PDB file of all heavy atoms in Angstrom:
ATOM      1  N   SER B  13     129.731  60.859 138.729  1.00 46.00           N
ATOM      2  CA  SER B  13     131.036  60.405 139.201  1.00 46.00           C
ATOM      3  C   SER B  13     131.357  59.002 138.716  1.00 46.00           C
ATOM      4  O   SER B  13     132.517  58.589 138.712  1.00 46.00           O
ATOM      5  CB  SER B  13     131.102  60.451 140.730  1.00 46.00           C
ATOM      6  OG  SER B  13     130.182  59.560 141.298  1.00 46.00           O
ATOM      7  N   PHE B  15     131.397  58.081 135.795  1.00 40.00           N
ATOM      8  CA  PHE B  15     132.152  58.195 134.560  1.00 40.00           C
ATOM      9  C   PHE B  15     133.658  58.202 134.830  1.00 40.00           C
ATOM     10  O   PHE B  15     134.449  58.069 133.935  1.00 40.00           O
ATOM     11  CB  PHE B  15     131.791  59.501 133.825  1.00 40.00           C
ATOM     12  CG  PHE B  15     130.494  59.422 133.096  1.00 40.00           C
ATOM     13  CD1 PHE B  15     129.300  59.588 133.759  1.00 40.00           C
ATOM     14  CD2 PHE B  15     130.465  59.164 131.736  1.00 40.00           C
ATOM     15  CE1 PHE B  15     128.101  59.515 133.096  1.00 40.00           C
ATOM     16  CE2 PHE B  15     129.262  59.094 131.053  1.00 40.00           C
ATOM     17  CZ  PHE B  15     128.080  59.267 131.738  1.00 40.00           C
ATOM     18  N   GLY B  32     146.990  66.418 135.652  1.00 86.00           N
ATOM     19  CA  GLY B  32     145.854  67.316 135.446  1.00 86.00           C
ATOM     20  C   GLY B  32     144.580  66.815 136.093  1.00 86.00           C
ATOM     21  O   GLY B  32     143.489  66.942 135.527  1.00 86.00           O
ATOM     22  N   THR B  66     138.482  51.404 143.813  1.00 80.00           N
ATOM     23  CA  THR B  66     138.985  51.943 142.555  1.00 80.00           C
ATOM     24  C   THR B  66     138.528  51.086 141.378  1.00 80.00           C
ATOM     25  O   THR B  66     138.072  51.592 140.355  1.00 80.00           O
ATOM     26  CB  THR B  66     140.521  52.015 142.578  1.00 80.00           C
ATOM     27  OG1 THR B  66     140.934  52.908 143.607  1.00 80.00           O
ATOM     28  CG2 THR B  66     141.067  52.510 141.241  1.00 80.00           C
ATOM     29  N   ALA B  68     135.949  49.085 141.353  1.00 87.00           N
ATOM     30  CA  ALA B  68     134.485  49.172 141.247  1.00 87.00           C
ATOM     31  C   ALA B  68     134.085  50.428 140.477  1.00 87.00           C
ATOM     32  O   ALA B  68     133.201  50.383 139.611  1.00 87.00           O
ATOM     33  CB  ALA B  68     133.861  49.180 142.644  1.00 87.00           C
ATOM     34  N   ALA B  92     115.830  68.493 140.508  1.00 87.00           N
ATOM     35  CA  ALA B  92     116.027  69.491 141.553  1.00 87.00           C
ATOM     36  C   ALA B  92     117.334  69.227 142.290  1.00 87.00           C
ATOM     37  O   ALA B  92     117.851  68.108 142.287  1.00 87.00           O
ATOM     38  CB  ALA B  92     114.855  69.441 142.534  1.00 87.00           C
ATOM     39  N   ALA B 108     105.299  74.060 148.564  1.00 87.00           N
ATOM     40  CA  ALA B 108     104.708  72.963 147.809  1.00 87.00           C
ATOM     41  C   ALA B 108     105.462  72.682 146.512  1.00 87.00           C
ATOM     42  O   ALA B 108     105.661  71.521 146.134  1.00 87.00           O
ATOM     43  CB  ALA B 108     103.243  73.260 147.513  1.00 87.00           C
ATOM     44  N   LEU B 111     108.650  70.790 147.288  1.00 88.00           N
ATOM     45  CA  LEU B 111     108.362  69.397 147.619  1.00 88.00           C
ATOM     46  C   LEU B 111     108.012  68.593 146.369  1.00 88.00           C
ATOM     47  O   LEU B 111     108.454  67.449 146.207  1.00 88.00           O
ATOM     48  CB  LEU B 111     107.218  69.326 148.629  1.00 88.00           C
ATOM     49  CG  LEU B 111     107.549  69.771 150.048  1.00 88.00           C
ATOM     50  CD1 LEU B 111     106.280  69.853 150.886  1.00 88.00           C
ATOM     51  CD2 LEU B 111     108.553  68.827 150.695  1.00 88.00           C
ATOM     52  N   ARG B 131     120.225  43.890 133.135  1.00 88.00           N
ATOM     53  CA  ARG B 131     121.166  44.158 132.048  1.00 88.00           C
ATOM     54  C   ARG B 131     122.564  43.740 132.491  1.00 88.00           C
ATOM     55  O   ARG B 131     123.129  44.291 133.429  1.00 88.00           O
ATOM     56  CB  ARG B 131     121.154  45.638 131.686  1.00 88.00           C
ATOM     57  CG  ARG B 131     119.855  46.151 131.088  1.00 88.00           C
ATOM     58  CD  ARG B 131     119.643  45.560 129.698  1.00 88.00           C
ATOM     59  NE  ARG B 131     120.705  45.918 128.796  1.00 88.00           N
ATOM     60  CZ  ARG B 131     120.603  46.880 127.863  1.00 88.00           C
ATOM     61  NH1 ARG B 131     119.460  47.532 127.726  1.00 88.00           N
ATOM     62  NH2 ARG B 131     121.615  47.142 127.069  1.00 88.00           N
ATOM     63  N   THR B 132     123.140  42.759 131.806  1.00 89.00           N
ATOM     64  CA  THR B 132     124.487  42.315 132.154  1.00 89.00           C
ATOM     65  C   THR B 132     125.532  43.387 131.870  1.00 89.00           C
ATOM     66  O   THR B 132     126.588  43.409 132.501  1.00 89.00           O
ATOM     67  CB  THR B 132     124.843  41.041 131.365  1.00 89.00           C
ATOM     68  OG1 THR B 132     124.727  41.314 129.951  1.00 89.00           O
ATOM     69  CG2 THR B 132     123.899  39.904 131.741  1.00 89.00           C
ATOM     70  N   THR B 139     124.346  47.103 140.846  1.00 90.00           N
ATOM     71  CA  THR B 139     124.704  46.777 142.229  1.00 90.00           C
ATOM     72  C   THR B 139     124.865  48.035 143.059  1.00 90.00           C
ATOM     73  O   THR B 139     124.389  48.117 144.205  1.00 90.00           O
ATOM     74  CB  THR B 139     126.008  45.963 142.258  1.00 90.00           C
ATOM     75  OG1 THR B 139     125.809  44.741 141.532  1.00 90.00           O
ATOM     76  CG2 THR B 139     126.417  45.642 143.695  1.00 90.00           C
ATOM     77  N   GLN B 142     121.315  49.852 143.459  1.00 87.00           N
ATOM     78  CA  GLN B 142     120.399  49.118 144.323  1.00 87.00           C
ATOM     79  C   GLN B 142     120.839  49.133 145.785  1.00 87.00           C
ATOM     80  O   GLN B 142     120.021  48.930 146.685  1.00 87.00           O
ATOM     81  CB  GLN B 142     120.280  47.661 143.842  1.00 87.00           C
ATOM     82  CG  GLN B 142     119.637  47.499 142.477  1.00 87.00           C
ATOM     83  CD  GLN B 142     118.174  47.901 142.462  1.00 87.00           C
ATOM     84  OE1 GLN B 142     117.475  47.738 143.451  1.00 87.00           O
ATOM     85  NE2 GLN B 142     117.707  48.416 141.334  1.00 87.00           N
ATOM     86  N   ALA B 144     121.754  51.672 147.474  1.00 83.00           N
ATOM     87  CA  ALA B 144     121.312  52.899 148.140  1.00 83.00           C
ATOM     88  C   ALA B 144     119.900  52.705 148.692  1.00 83.00           C
ATOM     89  O   ALA B 144     119.039  52.130 148.029  1.00 83.00           O
ATOM     90  CB  ALA B 144     121.337  54.067 147.158  1.00 83.00           C
ATOM     91  N   ARG B 165      97.063  69.436 148.272  1.00 88.00           N
ATOM     92  CA  ARG B 165      95.741  68.822 148.173  1.00 88.00           C
ATOM     93  C   ARG B 165      94.963  69.026 149.481  1.00 88.00           C
ATOM     94  O   ARG B 165      95.539  69.073 150.573  1.00 88.00           O
ATOM     95  CB  ARG B 165      95.875  67.319 147.912  1.00 88.00           C
ATOM     96  CG  ARG B 165      96.631  66.956 146.643  1.00 88.00           C
ATOM     97  CD  ARG B 165      96.719  65.455 146.510  1.00 88.00           C
ATOM     98  NE  ARG B 165      97.611  65.059 145.432  1.00 88.00           N
ATOM     99  CZ  ARG B 165      97.240  64.923 144.164  1.00 88.00           C
ATOM    100  NH1 ARG B 165      95.977  65.140 143.829  1.00 88.00           N
ATOM    101  NH2 ARG B 165      98.114  64.563 143.240  1.00 88.00           N
ATOM    102  N   ARG B 176      90.289  76.335 154.018  1.00 90.00           N
ATOM    103  CA  ARG B 176      90.197  76.946 152.688  1.00 90.00           C
ATOM    104  C   ARG B 176      88.781  77.449 152.410  1.00 90.00           C
ATOM    105  O   ARG B 176      88.602  78.509 151.810  1.00 90.00           O
ATOM    106  CB  ARG B 176      90.630  75.936 151.624  1.00 90.00           C
ATOM    107  CG  ARG B 176      92.139  75.813 151.490  1.00 90.00           C
ATOM    108  CD  ARG B 176      92.527  74.783 150.458  1.00 90.00           C
ATOM    109  NE  ARG B 176      93.949  74.886 150.137  1.00 90.00           N
ATOM    110  CZ  ARG B 176      94.634  73.951 149.509  1.00 90.00           C
ATOM    111  NH1 ARG B 176      94.033  72.833 149.123  1.00 90.00           N
ATOM    112  NH2 ARG B 176      95.920  74.124 149.249  1.00 90.00           N
ATOM    113  N   GLU B 178      86.625  78.447 154.658  1.00 93.00           N
ATOM    114  CA  GLU B 178      86.428  79.642 155.484  1.00 93.00           C
ATOM    115  C   GLU B 178      87.116  80.851 154.873  1.00 93.00           C
ATOM    116  O   GLU B 178      86.565  81.961 154.860  1.00 93.00           O
ATOM    117  CB  GLU B 178      86.947  79.382 156.892  1.00 93.00           C
ATOM    118  CG  GLU B 178      86.123  78.362 157.673  1.00 93.00           C
ATOM    119  CD  GLU B 178      86.738  78.037 159.017  1.00 93.00           C
ATOM    120  OE1 GLU B 178      87.863  78.527 159.294  1.00 93.00           O
ATOM    121  OE2 GLU B 178      86.099  77.297 159.803  1.00 93.00           O
ATOM    122  N   ARG B 211      96.900  96.835 144.992  1.00 78.00           N
ATOM    123  CA  ARG B 211      98.174  97.435 145.379  1.00 78.00           C
ATOM    124  C   ARG B 211      98.930  96.403 146.205  1.00 78.00           C
ATOM    125  O   ARG B 211      98.645  96.195 147.369  1.00 78.00           O
ATOM    126  CB  ARG B 211      97.946  98.708 146.209  1.00 78.00           C
ATOM    127  CG  ARG B 211      97.251  99.844 145.466  1.00 78.00           C
ATOM    128  CD  ARG B 211      98.223 100.560 144.523  1.00 78.00           C
ATOM    129  NE  ARG B 211      97.603 101.766 143.977  1.00 78.00           N
ATOM    130  CZ  ARG B 211      96.968 101.830 142.829  1.00 78.00           C
ATOM    131  NH1 ARG B 211      96.851 100.737 142.086  1.00 78.00           N
ATOM    132  NH2 ARG B 211      96.437 102.963 142.409  1.00 78.00           N
ATOM    133  N   PRO B 225      95.683 112.274 144.277  1.00 48.00           N
ATOM    134  CA  PRO B 225      95.356 110.844 144.274  1.00 48.00           C
ATOM    135  C   PRO B 225      95.630 110.230 145.645  1.00 48.00           C
ATOM    136  O   PRO B 225      96.609 110.547 146.298  1.00 48.00           O
ATOM    137  CB  PRO B 225      96.291 110.270 143.211  1.00 48.00           C
ATOM    138  CG  PRO B 225      96.727 111.421 142.387  1.00 48.00           C
ATOM    139  CD  PRO B 225      96.724 112.618 143.306  1.00 48.00           C
TER     140      PRO B 225
END
Side-chain angles (χ1 to χ4, degrees):
S13 64
F15 282 81
T66 297
L111 288 171
R131 294 291 300 258
T132 57
T139 299
Q142 295 293 328
R165 301 179 189 273
R176 280 179 168 164
E178 292 175 354
R211 296 283 189 266

